[in-house]
Amino acid sequence: MFSDALAIAIEEDSNPLEGRLTTVLVLASLLAAFGSSFQYGYNIAVINSPAPLMRDFYNKTYIERYNEPIPERFLTVLWSVTVSMFPLGGLFGALMVAPLVKRLGRKGTLLFNNIFSIVPAIMMGVCEISKSYELIIAARVIVGICAGLSSNVVPMYLGEIAPRNLRGAIGIFPQLFITVGILVAQVFGIRSLLGNKTGWTIMFGLTAIPAVFQLIFLPLFPESPRYLLFQKKDEVNCLKAMQLLRGQNDVERELDELVLEAIAEEIQSRWSLLSLLTQKFLRWQLFTTIVLNMGQQLSGVNAIYYYADSIYASAGVNEQDIQYVTVGTGAVNLFMTIAAVFIVEFSGRRLLLLLGFGICCGSCALLTFALNFQARLLWMPYVSIFCVITYVIGHAIGPSPIPNVVTTEIFMHSARPAAFTLGGAIHWISNFTVGLVFPFMERDLGPFSFVVFAIVCFLTLIYIFFMVPETKMKSILEISKIYDEMNNVGYVDKSIEVIDTTSRPDSTAKDEYSCMGQ
């Protein structure tokens, strides 16, 4: 019977399917992450260094139009809008994820998304010649859409093309390239390079290069096998894609696992975001996605990147040295994200989340103390810098890369697009909130702003400790059964019973799936 076959398959899967890093898998992962995730990181940090130059451009443009200097309050509003339009665009992009990945596929959506990178790159590149700050604001919305799509679709695509024993490491590639993008923007922002009057528009326009690179080369690589099998019902191309990704013809066992998962999902609908929120059997998966995305952003990480210069200035760093300290912080972030790629399959997801949020919580608490006493002690600014760097290290090994990996693993294929839409919306709303509110927190609360972030980290830590199971080296079906027990519904077992009533004793999993597809 089918239930017996599934039980045997899961038992056999306790000896995991050992995939290996093949050339096709590595190149597809690098292209997807470089062409898309890089944009997210680059456009987070690119706004920081040229901020005074952009304000000066806004003022000069206003004078040419109206023959008077721009009012200070209006300039503040314009700058606030310029910064906050990026996460707002990210929210719009996140809401587009589910319909696009269903219609265009994972790879197709990434290719389509390049429009939202190339067009704003041109707009920002010509804004000074056009004497229009409105072009910058509109471009920030559009490139935000690019980041909103990429921050959800890239983890989904990589999680579906990777073998289970490499799913965590490959799943960190998006965050790795986000940190690369942040560091590249910080380096370009040095005043002797592009962070000057003649180079800042070029710096904004460079965001088109990864998009063009991806448009040329990503079509050469396969679509997600899960998408081809589950949504297209195309077993032939699914098999070809898997053989290319695994670098061998013998992929029958992994294909059988996909077929078993497809049968278990066959009785489900293709969940919309609204229907997803009403399902009891997805209750704790949804809570986990929401908490991890809120914790990731409300812990204050983007306050560091949006307002790094002002934070270091308040910590007592010399004005001439701030740009180099900022680049150093970005380099540490990149180094620790690379480290996470290598340790995630050994340590697991849960431990890295606990360790990361714990470090961030302690760093924020100590930073509050250091900022309060730095005027009294000459060496205290160095403690403040240490706290910021330690915070970045903690965030890089857990809160930054792991939430999308977990989201990929805890939802079955049919619910994954809607789950990423929900997680992405929470991510970008939280990102927008921090970018908009932090300047006022810094003004009204001073050093105690970081107490708020410490509390968020601590509460997220408690939730993870009690409610987030380890998913390392487990199949999607095994993870679903864990959450079935948490939700107290036995959904996977019920799915098996429904299928079992229509199965034939002598049928194979593939035969069963073919019958159901008809």
Side-chain angles (χ1 to χ4, degrees):
M1 305 294 281
F2 177 75
S3 55
D4 296 331
L6 182 59
I8 293 170
I10 292 176
E11 183 178 352
E12 289 177 351
D13 283 340
S14 60
N15 299 317
L17 295 171
E18 291 290 340
R20 58 190 179 90
L21 279 175
T22 63
T23 301
V24 173
L25 175 61
V26 171
L27 290 179
S29 301
L30 291 176
L31 272 171
F34 174 62
S36 297
S37 299
F38 179 92
Q39 312 285 353
Y40 179 4
Y42 187 86
N43 286 288
I44 283 176
V46 75
I47 200 84
N48 181 52
S49 179
L53 301 171
M54 295 174 69
R55 288 171 179 263
D56 185 55
F57 167 66
Y58 288 5
N59 187 44
K60 287 181 179 178
T61 302
Y62 192 89
I63 290 173
E64 290 184 10
R65 291 180 183 179
Y66 305 107
N67 296 317
E68 62 180 15
I70 190 169
E72 187 63 30
R73 178 175 293 182
F74 184 52
L75 178 60
T76 302
V77 170
L78 270 182
W79 182 247
S80 178
V81 169
T82 302
V83 174
S84 59
M85 285 301 100
F86 177 69
L88 185 62
L91 173 60
F92 296 152
L95 295 175
M96 294 164 61
V97 168
L100 283 178
V101 296
K102 289 177 183 178
R103 181 178 295 270
L104 302 178
R106 280 61 166 151
K107 188 181 78 170
T109 300
L110 292 178
L111 293 171
F112 174 76
N113 190 34
N114 289 308
I115 296 172
F116 300 112
S117 176
I118 295 171
V119 171
I122 295 171
M123 292 169 66
M124 290 187 285
V126 302
C127 64
E128 194 171 30
I129 298 173
S130 304
K131 297 180 180 180
S132 171
Y133 47 71
E134 293 87 354
L135 272 179
I136 297 177
I137 295 172
R140 289 285 289 175
V141 177
I142 299 171
V143 81
I145 293 173
C146 170
L149 277 166
S150 67
S151 64
N152 292 283
V153 180
V154 177
M156 194 187 308
Y157 176 62
L158 298 191
E160 293 181 0
I161 67 174
R164 79 166 70 166
N165 62 304
L166 297 174
R167 203 165 52 208
I170 296 294
I172 292 178
F173 272 36
Q175 185 60 36
L176 175 62
F177 276 88
I178 288 172
T179 60
V180 170
I182 290 170
L183 180 59
V184 169
Q186 291 169 337
V187 171
F188 284 167
I190 294 174
R191 284 185 282 278
S192 59
L193 294 178
L194 295 177
N196 50 55
K197 290 183 179 180
T198 58
W200 68 270
T201 54
I202 298 173
M203 185 164 63
F204 278 100
L206 290 177
T207 188
I209 293 176
V212 172
F213 197 79
Q214 187 183 79
L215 270 177
I216 294 171
F217 293 106
L218 189 59
L220 304 176
F221 293 87
E223 176 60 271
S224 158
R226 271 188 165 82
Y227 172 77
L228 293 172
L229 181 65
F230 290 19
Q231 288 187 245
K232 291 295 185 180
K233 301 292 188 291
D234 188 349
E235 189 176 321
V236 173
N237 282 319
C238 170
L239 178 62
K240 290 179 180 178
M242 194 172 293
Q243 289 172 336
L244 276 173
L245 290 165
R246 302 296 176 259
Q248 60 185 24
N249 292 326
D250 184 13
V251 293
E252 288 299 314
R253 187 177 174 195
E254 188 173 359
L255 183 60
D256 284 344
E257 180 185 292
L258 285 189
V259 171
L260 290 170
E261 184 183 336
I263 296 173
E265 288 200 357
E266 194 66 37
I267 64 170
Q268 295 185 23
S269 310
R270 297 298 174 189
W271 302 110
S272 66
L273 180 57
L274 183 60
S275 63
L276 191 75
L277 295 172
T278 63
Q279 303 304 315
K280 184 179 178 181
F281 75 96
L282 294 174
R283 178 177 53 197
W284 285 111
Q285 293 96 312
L286 291 171
F287 285 159
T288 296
T289 296
I290 292 169
V291 170
L292 290 183
N293 278 280
M294 288 183 68
Q296 181 193 66
Q297 293 300 311
L298 297 182
S299 60
V301 63
N302 282 322
I304 301 292
Y305 297 126
Y306 286 139
Y307 303 103
D309 287 7
S310 66
I311 290 173
Y312 285 128
S314 66
V317 179
N318 184 284
E319 183 179 353
Q320 295 300 317
D321 297 332
I322 286 176
Q323 57 182 333
Y324 301 108
V325 176
T326 301
V327 171
T329 304
V332 170
N333 187 17
L334 175 58
F335 176 79
M336 294 310 302
T337 305
I338 293 173
V341 172
F342 290 99
I343 65 176
V344 65
E345 295 300 351
F346 172 77
S347 62
R349 290 66 159 140
R350 188 171 180 272
L351 178 61
L352 289 184
L353 286 170
L354 290 171
L355 185 62
F357 276 108
I359 292 173
C360 290
C361 181
S363 299
C364 287
L366 185 57
L367 181 59
T368 302
F369 175 83
L371 291 175
N372 269 296
F373 286 93
Q374 68 180 14
R376 305 179 193 178
L377 300 170
L378 294 177
W379 49 269
M380 196 58 76
Y382 298 104
V383 177
S384 299
I385 296 172
F386 171 79
C387 290
V388 172
I389 293 175
T390 304
Y391 174 93
V392 168
I393 290 172
H395 217 278
I397 64 173
S400 286
I402 303 301
N404 277 331
V405 175
V406 172
T407 301
T408 300
E409 294 180 327
I410 65 177
F411 287 95
M412 296 182 77
H413 180 88
S414 55
R416 199 171 291 144
F420 268 98
T421 298
L422 174 64
I426 298 296
H427 172 105
W428 287 102
I429 290 171
S430 301
N431 188 328
F432 177 78
T433 301
V434 171
L436 198 63
V437 171
F438 181 73
F440 300 98
M441 290 172 58
E442 192 177 32
R443 182 192 66 189
D444 298 335
L445 300 177
F448 292 99
S449 303
F450 293 93
V451 172
V452 177
F453 299 140
I455 292 171
V456 171
C457 290
F458 179 74
L459 293 176
T460 308
L461 181 72
I462 296 299
Y463 178 87
I464 293 167
F465 184 81
F466 288 104
M467 300 310 305
V468 177
E470 181 55 69
T471 57
K472 180 184 71 170
M473 300 300 289
K474 291 182 172 64
S475 71
I476 303 300
L477 280 173
E478 289 175 303
I479 296 167
S480 296
K481 287 178 73 68
I482 292 172
Y483 273 98
D484 267 8
E485 294 177 5
M486 293 173 62
N487 292 318
N488 195 28
V489 292
Y491 185 80
V492 171
D493 291 333
K494 290 177 182 177
S495 300
I496 294 169
E497 290 174 8
V498 171
I499 297 167
D500 201 33
T501 60
T502 62
S503 65
R504 299 184 307 275
D506 59 342
S507 65
T508 65
K510 289 181 184 177
D511 292 336
E512 202 65 51
Y513 183 68
S514 299
C515 290
M516 295 182 71
Q518 294 170 0

